[in-house]
Amino acid sequence: MNIRNTIDNLKKPFNRGEKWEKFAPAFNALDTFLFVPNHTTKHGAHIRDAVDLKRTMITVILALLPALFYGIYNTGYQYFSQLNVDYTFVDVMLHGSTKIVPMIAVSYIVGLAIEFAFAVFRGHEVNEGYLVTGLLIPMIMPVDIPLWMVGLSVAFAVFIGKEAFGGTGMNILNPALTARAFAFFAYPTYMSGNQVWVSEASNVDGVSGETILGMLASGDNSLPYQPMDMFMGSIPGSIAETSTLMVLIGALVLIYTGVGSWRIMLGSVIGAAITGMLFNLWGVNELMSFSWTNHLMVGGFAFGVVFMATDPVSAAQTVKGKWIYGLLVGLFCILIRVFNPAYPEGVMLAILLMNVFAPTIDHYVIESNVKRRLNRSNKPIVNIA
Amino acid sequence: MSYDIKIKNGLTINLKGAAQNIIIKAAAPKTVSINPSNFHLIIPKMVVKIGQKISQGDVVFYSKKNERIKFCSPVNGVVKEIIRGAKRKIIEIIIESIGDNERSSKKAIDYKNLSSEQVKNLLLDSGCWPFIKQRPYDIIANPSDSPKSIFISTFNSAPISADFQIILDDQKEEFKHGVKILSKLFSGDLNIGIEKNNKSFLNDIENVKINTFNGPHPAGNVGVQIHHIDPINSGEKVWTLGAEDVANIGRYFMTGSYNPVRTLAVSGPPVKYPKYYKTVAGSELCEIIKDAGINQNDHLRFINGDVLTGYKVESDNYLGFYNNTLSVLREGNHYRMFGWVPFVNNKVPSIYKTSFSWLFPNKKYDLDTNLNGEERALVVTGEMEKVFPMDILPMQLLKECMAGNIEKMESLGIYEVAPEDFSLIDYSSSSKIEAQHIIRKGLDLMISEVG
């Protein structure tokens, strides 16, 4: 193993007691990316499962790829189909790639730089969580958002959303949605309206496009799209959120491998479906009478529920809590869409809201478990304080 | 009333090298050891000196905190060495055997006319008391406590661990006698946990509650059985015994001499002839290892106990006091390039379907001791519950143990668990959490703060 020997030689100055000891987490992150380390079990069980955090995170990235590729395609497709020029599949993908690849690069460079810095500063290993967050952030942005805004949102999300709470595993809000919420409130003109959802819409005449939810919120129900378009995803929207089909493929990967919580996904769909049906019966404004099945397919609902709501750190952590959390995410998503025309896209705020309440949900689930144990003995726990 | 319990959450790990159904009598060990670290939190007060001649059943040391709990020599011999560590802490006592253990002068003890207190004193004086452990805390039982019930698990569900069915079939009479002694000692419920569809003699034992269990590991863990039958509430005590130790107590009353027999399953992927060896607790391991056909030039790990809960020993060390399994694994200190990529490296099974190992549920694996990753922050939720068949929230309890929050630990169920119940969480954690270690520290904190 020549590569291995080379790495071991390079690693020498980072070893304990050596010159660059402090920077060992940064080097280890790269080393363990190449090789699963030779660590053996020290305490406890002598054999260990093949799964580690790297593998779970890479599985999520695999699940994201269909939506990402479709997002790249749709970016080009929306642009060229409105221009009325001849175009090929290659043109479409090239146009999408030139827009999206730099965003991903900025997101990873800024985010990982901060993560590495904190790992060195705090003296712990680099956690893999950002691999997913870093890909999610560009995927939920409008395509024309300036790169510096992406960088700033990423920095905000990692500093305030994650490291301020103690780093990976401690954050209350989903970091990717924190980035989007930051951009949404800091630069609303780049994040909403009818000029941001299709590539170059603000620069080229003849190109425009509003999201379906945006049209409905302004009372316009002359939708040029069929439900099949909404399902396949050839509609304007944030980069990777549009195709329900691709998100479903990702959901299958997550559920099949056991990495994503099917309870949260199913709970959210049930919550949104019931709320949607109730509003369909009522039907006072355009969004209320918008069919509940369409509600599940448009906007970021599917993407948010599958990839954001299931973030294990910011979601509810108990089994029962996950059901309740999921149901409420679905309910609030439709509620916000219908009742607040300023935020036609409800799923971001619904998930962030439930992130805040997830610990409360867990608290009551835990309390009921504790109470069950107390009732069993029918006598009070001896207070030792 | 007996129960029939189905365990749903858990995991069966198929490993190569399970011991075959052959018991052979191991050669009489030249040296044996008593290792105080086998008796958690016991501080030994030595009775013997180096060079002193002792007989089988003579007291070697007693517990400094409770002088009634005595630890006795398993063989006739001479105290060869008392190994001490920092602050003169006693690490191990080594006794050179001089053979001739069966002494005819001792006679069977007629237990029928003895009172419970007399039985207890006999167990304490003979050195049999350390066989009895207590929950909570998983330590040697305090003889002045009165437990609410006794639990004995007669099957092992951990991977390639000793099959108690084979061991007990070899010691039927001793086991039955042991059960009688225990019901003399203690008038409450005596629970015996057996595997479902087991047709052995255990079903016919009288005056005990026979509970059947069905499901993956940890169905055989006594803690899981207690939780489903008669859970421990605050302030309550339950006593537990290993299956062969019940037979050892029976043997003491049948013969009058303390003879801690240990039928040892030597198992593991690198073992050429995995089988059972009948020897004595604390016996030296080197002869057994040689006989089982283990190539010591390989880089191997020897484990006193099963692969999930045991502790590491060297090949020239000694058998522990309680364990019925000596597991052998290859050390896994090798690198794997891009080994974290999903769907490659299918030779390591996973609770996640991120490898194709789940397609072959009956395939037997040759696992080594590689950690398969590095320790990370707790990120993924829900995975612990999949392998933890109790109505206890494992992750929340672990977090409170890490924080040392005694009140929360108590209300979340620390009294019901032992480190071994968390061994599958150790195994399956994607953050490589050392759950057993955390729980042991949590239990020790409870002992020192609550008692």
Side-chain angles (χ1 to χ4, degrees), chain A residues 287-326:
Chain A
L287 273 159
M288 274 193 194
S289 45
F290 189 51
S291 157
W292 65 272
T293 48
N294 289 349
H295 259 303
L296 298 182
M297 293 192 291
V298 298
F301 176 77
F303 192 87
V305 161
V306 171
F307 295 110
M308 309 286 201
T310 54
D311 167 19
V313 175
S314 55
Q317 307 190 334
T318 51
V319 173
K320 258 186 219 157
K322 283 175 182 170
W323 280 113
I324 300 167
Y325 167 88

Side-chain angles (χ1 to χ4, degrees), chain A residues 101-281:
Chain A
V101 172
M103 289 170 76
I104 296 173
V106 166
S107 167
Y108 272 134
I109 291 168
V110 174
L112 286 176
I114 300 172
E115 287 268 327
F116 274 58
F118 267 96
V120 168
F121 175 66
R122 289 205 175 119
H124 64 66
E125 297 295 329
V126 179
N127 279 286
E128 286 82 1
Y130 192 75
L131 294 177
V132 171
T133 310
L135 187 59
L136 279 173
I137 291 174
M139 287 174 79
I140 53 174
M141 293 289 189
V143 67
D144 272 344
I145 189 166
L147 289 178
W148 65 268
M149 282 186 198
V150 176
L152 202 61
S153 308
V154 164
F156 179 86
V158 180
F159 268 121
I160 308 294
K162 196 160 147 187
E163 297 299 342
F165 291 100
T168 303
M170 314 280 194
N171 46 301
I172 292 171
L173 300 175
N174 180 315
L177 280 178
T178 309
R180 193 179 197 277
F182 171 80
F184 186 82
F185 290 108
Y187 310 103
T189 50
Y190 291 88
M191 294 292 290
S192 52
N194 57 6
Q195 295 295 317
V196 302
W197 303 110
V198 173
S199 178
E200 303 293 335
S202 51
N203 300 329
V204 181
D205 283 344
V207 178
S208 76
E210 198 170 359
T211 62
I212 293 170
L213 289 170
M215 293 169 79
L216 290 170
S218 56
D220 176 4
N221 68 351
S222 60
L223 293 176
Y225 308 106
Q226 296 302 314
M228 202 56 199
D229 299 326
M230 303 175 194
F231 181 71
M232 296 305 290
S234 55
I235 52 174
S238 298
I239 289 170
E241 70 171 20
T242 59
S243 172
T244 312
L245 174 68
M246 295 301 161
V247 172
L248 273 179
I249 294 172
L252 285 180
V253 172
L254 291 183
I255 292 171
Y256 164 81
T257 55
V259 169
S261 167
W262 60 271
R263 292 184 180 91
I264 293 176
M265 295 183 208
L266 188 61
S268 303
V269 171
I270 293 172
I274 291 174
T275 319
M277 276 185 232
L278 289 177
F279 283 133
N280 281 173
L281 294 176

Side-chain angles (χ1 to χ4, degrees), chain B residues 16-218:
Chain B
K16 284 180 183 165
Q20 288 172 320
N21 189 355
I22 307 166
I23 301 180
I24 65 168
K25 201 168 175 355
K30 292 190 189 79
T31 52
V32 297
S33 99
I34 304 178
N35 189 336
S37 72
N38 289 166
F39 315 109
H40 191 69
L41 295 185
I42 294 282
I43 299 166
K45 188 85 185 151
M46 293 302 298
V47 174
V48 296
K49 294 191 182 69
I50 294 180
Q52 189 175 332
K53 198 164 176 257
I54 49 173
S55 310
Q56 187 180 40
D58 283 359
V59 178
V60 175
F61 64 83
Y62 57 84
S63 164
K64 202 170 180 179
K65 282 187 192 142
N66 189 339
E67 297 184 4
R68 295 171 77 191
I69 303 176
K70 302 183 177 82
F71 300 83
C72 298
S73 171
V75 293
N76 292 333
V78 177
V79 181
K80 189 185 170 196
E81 212 179 336
I82 299 172
I83 301 169
R84 288 176 187 267
K87 295 185 186 165
R88 289 182 54 77
K89 184 188 168 194
I90 295 165
I91 308 286
E92 200 163 26
I93 299 129
I94 294 176
I95 300 163
E96 196 166 8
S97 169
I98 51 175
D100 188 27
N101 286 329
E102 317 294 331
R103 283 190 300 176
S104 51
S105 60
K106 302 251 173 146
K107 283 204 293 278
I109 300 164
D110 181 15
Y111 67 93
K112 290 205 173 85
N113 302 320
L114 296 178
S115 70
S116 153
E117 201 54 37
Q118 284 169 313
V119 172
K120 185 181 277 180
N121 285 334
L122 276 172
L123 289 173
L124 284 161
D125 291 338
S126 66
C128 286
W129 191 262
F131 291 135
I132 304 174
K133 292 176 102 176
Q134 71 158 54
R135 299 290 171 100
Y137 308 143
D138 195 24
I139 52 175
I140 292 176
N142 183 349
S144 34
D145 281 341
S146 47
K148 66 167 181 167
S149 53
I150 291 183
F151 276 79
I152 301 154
S153 171
T154 63
F155 70 103
N156 232 330
S157 49
I160 57 170
S161 54
D163 182 350
F164 279 125
Q165 215 45 62
I166 296 167
I167 295 171
L168 292 183
D169 277 343
D170 187 48
Q171 304 174 39
K172 272 182 206 165
E173 292 312 314
E174 288 89 344
F175 185 83
K176 284 185 197 163
H177 205 75
V179 170
K180 282 180 199 153
I181 304 295
L182 287 175
S183 41
K184 194 84 198 176
L185 169 73
F186 168 70
S187 54
D189 278 344
L190 194 58
N191 293 278
I192 296 186
I194 65 173
E195 219 170 355
K196 199 179 166 93
N197 301 328
N198 180 316
K199 299 270 177 281
S200 80
F201 73 97
L202 294 167
N203 290 291
D204 309 325
I205 295 179
E206 285 164 0
N207 298 326
V208 294
K209 276 169 69 176
I210 306 280
N211 305 304
T212 57
F213 294 87
N214 179 15
H217 187 56

Side-chain angles (χ1 to χ4, degrees), chain B residues 290-320:
Chain B
K290 220 181 279 171
D291 191 80
I294 300 165
N295 184 357
Q296 293 202 48
N297 295 327
D298 293 346
H299 198 35
L300 298 178
R301 178 179 296 193
F302 297 94
I303 300 156
N304 256 338
D306 64 62
V307 291
L308 292 175
T309 62
Y311 64 95
K312 187 180 164 183
V313 285
E314 301 302 326
S315 60
D316 56 356
N317 284 169
Y318 297 85
L319 178 61

